[in-house]
Amino acid sequence: MGKGKQILLNKKVQRENLEENMVKYWFAQSTDGLMIYNKERAFLEVNEKGAEMFGLSPSEMIGKTLKELLRDHAARFDVYVEEALIKKREVSVVHDVVSSGEIKFYDCIYTPILNPNGDAIGVGVISRNVTRREYERSSLNDVLSDEYLKCVKHLQNLVIKIKKRKTGEIVFLFSEGIIAHVLRITTDRVFGKTAKEVFQPDVAELVEEHFQKSFTGKVVYFELTLYGLIFNTTLSPIIKDGKVVEVLGFITDITKRKNIEKKLRETEEKYQLLVKLSPEPIMVQREGKILYINPAGVKMLGVQDKNELIGTSIFKFVHPDFHERLKVRQKQLEDKGDPDVLEAKVIRLDGQLVDVEVTSSPITYMDKPAILSIIRDITVRKRAEEALQKSEAKYRLIADNMSDLIIVLDVNGVVQYASPSHKTILGFSPEMYEGNSAFDMVHPEDIPYIKEKFAEMIINKSPTRVEFRYKHVNGGWITVEVIGTPVVNEQGEVEQVLVVGRDVTEQRKTEELLRKSEKLAVVGELAAGVAHEIRNPLTSIKGFLQFLKPHTDDKKYFDLMLSEIDRIESIINEFLLLAKPHTVKFTENDLSVLLTDIMTLMEPQMSLRNIQIELDIEPELPSIYCERNQLKQVFINIIKNAMEAMPEGGHIRIQCRRYGNEKIMLRFIDEGCGIPKERLSKLGEPFYTMKEKGTGLGLMVCYKIIENHKGKIEIESEEGKGTTVNILLPIQRS
C-alpha cells in the first residue's frame, strides 16, 4: 500500500472515530432520554435519561429486549416501536410509568431509522419527562368537562384562557381550536408559558400589552398578525369578588375577509378613477332622477357644474320623441334586470341635439336599486350612416335598374351581391347566386380560363375583360362579356371584385352572320365573274367535243371529258345561286310527293352502296309554298352527304312532321361517322368541306336556299354515332 493511501485511510479512521465520539458525547450529555432499538426490538444504545424512564441503568438495558426487561408490560411500548418500523413514520405518545412508587409522564417520539435503500433497520426514541405539565393539565381538566373540550377543539376559532400569577406573569392555561393546531399553540405546548415564551418578540410585546390591559377589568379588542395571517382577538375578563381571576380570549381568523376588503377597496378606487376619467359619459339614476354623473357627462350636456344636474330628471335632457320609449325601457330594466341598449337624442343645455347610444344595467347604489347608464355620442356615426344610406340608395337604384349584370365577389369568387337584372337576362333570381361560387354557373369548358383570369386579376390588382358562356334558366347558355375590377383597401389588399357584364349572344350571332354575309358577297361576285368568263368558253368546248365524238373510234376519252365538263357546269350552277338574287317562283308543293320522287331518283345509287332509306311522313301534311327544284337540290345534297358518310352501307331515316301550326320539320338521320364537335360551327361556310374532293359550296348553297325560303337548318352530330340534319320550313310563304 502506498504512503499516500495509508495517510488517507488514517484520516478516514480518525474522522469516523471523531464522529463516533461526538455521538457518544451527545448521548451522554443530552437532557432528553435517547434510546435506539434494532429490528429485533433490542436496545443498541441508551443514555442515563432514557434508562431513567424504566428505573434501570443503561448497562442493564443494552442488548436486551423490552420483553426481557418488562415482561407483561412490554407490549404497551412495543406497539409504537412496531408502528414506526412497519409504517416508517414518526409516532408521538405520552407514556405513564411507575417509578419509585410514583406515576411519572414521559413525552416520547418514536422515529424510524432508514438505510440508503429506504428500509427500516431500527427505531430511535427521544423521551422527555412532562410529569409536572400533565399534573397541571389534569387539574385544569377537572374544571372543564369532556364535552366542553370536545366542542372547543373542533371550533374554527381559537379559545384561550390566561391567568396572572402572583409574580405578575400572565401564563396560558388553555389554548384549543383548529387555529391552535395550525399555529402549533395547543394547550400541551403553551400551558404555563408566557406570551414571550410562545410568540416571536415583536408579536409577544403586542400580545403581552393587551393581556395586561385585560386584567384591568376591561374587554380588549385588537388585531394580531401572525405567520402572514390576520386575527381578530377579543379578551373578556372573568371577575370574582371584584377581582379579575382569569381572562377568556376568542381569536378569529379574518385574513380572508381582510384580503377581500383590501381588494374591494382597491377595486373601488380603481373604478372610481376609471369612471371619473372615462371619455364617455356615465350616469347613475334612480326613478328618473340623476344621482351621479361623471365629468364627461357634464360636458356632453353643456353644464358647468355637475351639482346642477344632481336630482334633476333625465327627461329634461331627452328629446320628447324618445320619452315613451325611455319609460318602457326603464320599466323593463326594473322588472327583468337585463342590460339594454337604446338609441336616442339628447338635448344639451344650449338646445343642440346629440345622437347617443345608451347602454344601461341595474345596479345597487348607496344600498338602493339604481340604473347605471353608459352614454356614447354617436352623432358623427349617425351622420356618416345617413350619408352612406343615401349613397347606397342612389347607387342601388342605379344597380337595380341597369340592364347590365352586376356582381360583387369576394377574393374566393363567392357572390356577395347579384343585381336584379340576373332574373331578367338569365332567368335566375339574385338569391340563387348570392353565397355561392360565381363559377358554378359558367360553362364547364370555360371554367379553367375564367379561374385563370380571375387569379391574374387578384394578383395584378388591375381590371380585366373576359367573354364566356353563362347558364340560362332554360338549360341553354348565353354569351356574356364582363369587366372585372378589383376593389383595393387602404392596406393595398384586394377586398372585393366588382363585375359588370352584358349579354352579347345576339351581338355575336349578328357578327357571325355579318362575317358569313361578307363571305357570301365575295363568293357572289366571284360566281358572277365565273358565269361570265368561264361558262361561255366551256359551252363552246362542250359543243365541239359532242360534235367530234361520232367521228372517232375511241369514245371513252370523250365520255370522260364530257363528264368532267358536266361537273364544272354543276359547280358553276352552284356559284350562280350565290350570285345576285334572281327571280324565283314559289308554287304549292306536296313534300311527301317531292321526297318520294327523290327516293325513286336515288334508288340505284343506294342499292350500289348498300344503303336503305326509311321514309316516315306524317299523314295529311299540308302543302308548302316553295321552289321545287331548289328544295330537291337541298334534299339530294343532304342525302348524298349521308351516303358518303357511310362507305360500308347503313340506314338513313327521313322524318317529316308538322311543327306547330305554321311550320314543318324535316329530319335526315344517318348512321355515319359523325362530325367532330369543333367543326360543326363552321359547316355552311364558303369553301369549307370535310370531303377529299369537295368544293365547300354544296352545304353553303343548301343554307342559302333554305334561308331564301325563310327556313332554318340545324345540324346535330356525334362522332361514331351519326348526324341529324333538321330543316324547318314555313307552310305559307311570308
Side-chain angles (χ1 to χ4, degrees):
M1 179 182 296
K3 186 176 180 181
K5 288 186 178 180
Q6 182 64 48
I7 292 170
L8 290 172
L9 183 61
N10 291 339
K11 286 184 177 181
K12 181 179 180 183
V13 171
Q14 289 173 6
R15 185 171 63 252
E16 289 175 351
N17 290 337
L18 178 62
E19 289 173 354
E20 184 177 348
N21 290 333
M22 287 174 67
V23 171
K24 286 182 178 179
Y25 180 81
W26 175 61
F27 255 78
Q29 298 299 318
S30 176
T31 57
D32 292 329
L34 302 173
M35 295 168 276
I36 298 177
Y37 293 81
N38 63 13
K39 289 181 70 174
E40 287 70 38
R41 318 303 191 263
F43 290 98
L44 295 179
E45 282 291 337
V46 182
N47 69 355
E48 290 289 344
K49 291 289 184 180
E52 181 186 285
M53 186 171 77
F54 300 98
L56 300 170
S57 66
S59 59
E60 290 176 311
M61 296 176 64
I62 292 173
K64 294 182 181 178
T65 65
L66 280 170
K67 194 170 182 66
E68 291 174 340
L69 294 170
L70 303 179
R71 296 183 183 176
D72 296 335
H73 298 289
R76 58 192 292 240
F77 299 96
D78 263 345
V79 65
Y80 299 106
V81 176
E82 185 80 3
E83 185 175 349
L85 276 172
I86 294 173
K87 295 186 178 179
K88 299 177 186 178
R89 70 181 184 187
E90 186 177 281
V91 182
S92 181
V93 66
V94 176
H95 290 298
D96 57 301
V97 296
V98 178
S99 179
S100 302
E102 293 181 5
I103 298 176
K104 296 183 179 181
F105 297 89
Y106 288 86
D107 192 349
C108 297
I109 300 173
Y110 293 80
T111 304
I113 301 171
L114 308 177
N115 64 14
N117 296 326
D119 300 324
I121 58 173
V123 175
V125 182
I126 299 175
S127 64
R128 180 175 295 170
N129 191 330
V130 293
T131 305
R132 181 184 173 187
R133 186 193 74 187
E134 290 299 311
Y135 275 113
E136 288 179 339
R137 179 185 291 174
S138 176
S139 63
L140 176 65
N141 288 344
D142 289 340
V143 178
L144 301 172
S145 66
D146 290 341
E147 289 78 9
Y148 178 78
L149 280 172
K150 287 178 183 178
C151 291
V152 171
K153 285 182 178 180
H154 290 89
L155 282 174
Q156 290 289 337
N157 299 334
L158 170 63
V159 179
I160 63 171
K161 199 172 191 183
I162 55 177
K163 185 175 183 179
K164 197 169 191 177
R165 289 176 176 171
K166 292 180 180 180
T167 58
E169 288 182 322
I170 299 173
V171 296
F172 286 89
L173 294 180
F174 181 81
S175 178
E176 291 296 340
I178 292 176
I179 293 176
H181 289 276
V182 172
L183 300 178
R184 300 176 68 83
I185 55 172
T186 51
T187 304
D188 58 345
R189 293 178 182 273
V190 302
F191 184 82
K193 293 182 179 180
T194 64
K196 292 180 181 179
E197 293 175 297
V198 174
F199 302 112
Q200 294 291 334
D202 54 337
V203 176
E205 187 176 344
L206 175 67
V207 172
E208 181 67 26
E209 179 187 341
H210 288 92
F211 277 5
Q212 292 292 348
K213 285 181 182 178
S214 67
F215 275 92
T216 63
K218 297 178 180 178
V219 177
V220 178
Y221 304 95
F222 69 98
E223 286 186 4
L224 174 66
T225 302
L226 194 62
Y227 304 119
L229 301 175
I230 303 171
F231 300 94
N232 188 26
T233 306
T234 303
L235 300 176
S236 302
I238 300 172
I239 301 173
K240 287 184 180 179
D241 300 327
K243 293 182 179 180
V244 178
V245 292
E246 291 175 337
V247 173
L248 199 60
F250 297 92
I251 302 173
T252 305
D253 184 356
I254 59 170
T255 308
K256 189 174 181 179
R257 191 191 79 194
K258 281 289 183 179
N259 288 337
I260 292 172
E261 287 176 356
K262 182 183 177 183
K263 287 180 180 178
L264 187 62
R265 190 165 54 253
E266 290 173 352
T267 303
E268 187 176 348
E269 291 171 358
K270 190 186 299 180
Y271 280 110
Q272 282 179 351
L273 187 62
L274 283 173
V275 169
K276 185 178 180 180
L277 299 178
S278 172
E280 293 183 345
I282 298 175
M283 178 183 69
V284 178
Q285 53 98 356
R286 183 184 297 123
E287 296 177 353
K289 301 290 184 180
I290 298 173
L291 303 177
Y292 170 83
I293 188 165
N294 70 345
V298 173
K299 183 179 178 182
M300 183 191 70
L301 295 176
V303 180
Q304 296 298 321
D305 186 358
K306 74 172 183 179
N307 292 323
E308 297 178 36
L309 298 172
I310 305 302
T312 307
S313 171
I314 60 174
F315 292 96
K316 178 182 177 181
F317 299 98
V318 177
H319 193 280
D321 291 350
F322 296 90
H323 281 192
E324 285 305 316
R325 199 183 310 175
L326 186 58
K327 288 176 183 177
V328 171
R329 188 254 197 123
Q330 289 271 106
K331 187 75 170 69
Q332 288 174 342
L333 282 170
E334 291 169 1
D335 294 345
K336 296 182 180 179
D338 297 329
D340 185 47
V341 179
L342 174 73
E343 287 189 4
K345 287 185 184 292
V346 168
I347 306 172
R348 285 169 49 91
L349 202 63
D350 57 10
Q352 183 182 342
L353 288 177
V354 180
D355 287 291
V356 295
E357 180 184 78
V358 185
T359 304
S360 298
S361 180
I363 62 166
T364 299
Y365 183 77
M366 299 181 72
D367 299 326
K368 291 182 180 180
I371 293 174
L372 171 70
S373 297
I374 300 173
I375 307 164
R376 184 176 290 110
D377 185 345
I378 58 170
T379 307
V380 175
R381 191 188 83 189
K382 277 289 185 181
R383 300 295 176 268
E385 286 177 356
E386 288 171 5
L388 183 62
Q389 285 172 0
K390 289 178 182 177
S391 176
E392 282 185 352
K394 180 171 64 178
Y395 286 110
R396 184 171 289 274
L397 182 65
I398 295 171
D400 288 353
N401 290 279
M402 280 183 68
S403 58
D404 287 349
L405 300 170
I406 299 176
I407 301 180
V408 179
L409 309 176
D410 65 12
V411 292
N412 297 312
V414 176
V415 179
Q416 296 179 328
Y417 167 79
S419 63
S421 54
H422 282 73
K423 178 69 175 175
T424 308
I425 297 172
L426 298 167
F428 294 107
S429 65
E431 290 76 17
M432 281 285 292
Y433 298 91
E434 291 169 0
N436 297 312
S437 173
F439 306 120
D440 291 347
M441 294 293 194
V442 176
H443 194 284
E445 294 177 359
D446 298 337
I447 288 177
Y449 168 71
I450 297 302
K451 284 188 174 180
E452 180 184 347
K453 298 299 287 183
F454 185 82
E456 286 178 5
M457 178 177 60
I458 297 295
I459 293 169
N460 299 330
K461 301 174 185 175
S462 59
T464 188
R465 183 190 298 268
V466 289
E467 192 172 299
F468 55 90
R469 288 163 290 177
Y470 220 37
K471 193 170 186 178
H472 194 274
V473 72
N474 63 11
W477 303 91
I478 69 166
T479 304
V480 293
E481 181 186 60
V482 304
I483 298 175
T485 305
V487 180
V488 181
N489 61 20
E490 294 177 356
Q491 288 75 37
E493 299 172 345
V494 177
E495 279 190 343
Q496 296 174 321
V497 175
L498 175 65
V499 179
V500 179
R502 58 194 179 96
D503 180 3
V504 295
T505 308
E506 292 303 321
Q507 181 181 332
R508 295 296 176 261
K509 285 181 180 178
T510 303
E511 289 172 357
E512 183 65 19
L513 287 172
L514 182 60
R515 187 173 61 84
K516 287 185 177 181
S517 296
E518 289 173 352
K519 285 186 178 180
L520 287 172
V522 173
V523 172
E525 290 177 9
L526 178 63
V530 168
H532 180 71
E533 300 293 338
I534 299 176
R535 195 171 192 186
N536 291 337
L538 194 62
T539 304
S540 299
I541 293 170
K542 185 176 180 182
F544 278 110
L545 285 175
Q546 289 172 340
F547 174 75
L548 292 172
K549 182 179 177 182
H551 303 287
T552 182
D553 294 333
D554 193 354
K555 296 181 175 56
K556 65 178 180 179
Y557 296 110
F558 283 90
D559 291 337
L560 180 60
M561 285 187 287
L562 288 169
S563 172
E564 289 303 312
I565 288 171
D566 289 340
R567 184 166 177 270
I568 292 171
E569 283 186 330
S570 69
I571 293 172
I572 291 171
N573 289 334
E574 289 178 346
F575 272 140
L576 289 174
L577 282 171
L578 300 172
K580 261 183 146 183
H582 53 279
T583 305
V584 177
K585 186 178 181 181
F586 284 81
T587 58
E588 190 174 348
N589 288 278
D590 188 339
L591 281 177
S592 60
V593 174
L594 180 59
L595 290 170
T596 304
D597 290 348
I598 292 170
M599 287 281 291
T600 304
L601 178 66
M602 302 195 69
E603 189 172 353
Q605 292 185 46
M606 290 187 289
S607 298
L608 287 172
R609 293 173 177 266
N610 191 28
I611 291 174
Q612 298 175 347
I613 292 185
E614 176 191 347
L615 267 180
D616 182 8
I617 301 173
E618 183 180 319
E620 299 180 2
L621 273 178
S623 298
I624 68 168
Y625 281 88
C626 64
E627 209 292 316
R628 179 184 176 86
N629 289 329
Q630 284 190 357
L631 281 191
K632 189 175 182 181
Q633 182 182 349
V634 171
F635 297 159
I636 289 172
N637 203 346
I638 291 171
I639 293 170
K640 278 185 176 181
N641 286 343
M643 290 169 63
E644 289 171 3
M646 298 185 293
E648 303 299 326
H651 185 270
I652 298 173
R653 186 177 182 188
I654 302 174
Q655 294 178 339
C656 191
R657 296 273 189 279
R658 182 187 284 270
Y659 189 83
N661 296 324
E662 299 178 354
K663 294 181 181 179
I664 288 179
M665 169 74 82
L666 292 100
R667 305 189 78 209
F668 297 83
I669 307 166
D670 67 45
E671 299 173 344
C673 58
I675 304 169
K677 199 171 185 180
E678 63 273 11
R679 295 192 175 188
L680 278 173
S681 60
K682 295 184 179 181
L683 294 179
E685 292 186 3
F687 309 115
Y688 183 80
T689 180
M690 295 179 62
K691 301 180 207 173
E692 188 178 346
K693 294 184 179 181
T695 62
L697 296 173
L699 200 53
M700 187 182 73
V701 170
C702 293
Y703 272 93
K704 185 70 174 177
I705 291 171
I706 296 301
E707 184 182 330
N708 290 338
H709 281 72
K710 306 299 181 184
K712 188 177 181 182
I713 294 181
E714 288 183 351
I715 300 176
E716 303 169 3
S717 187
E718 188 173 348
E719 281 190 275
K721 291 189 177 181
T723 302
T724 300
V725 180
N726 300 312
I727 299 177
L728 201 62
L729 291 169
I731 295 173
Q732 299 290 334
R733 187 168 185 270
S734 56

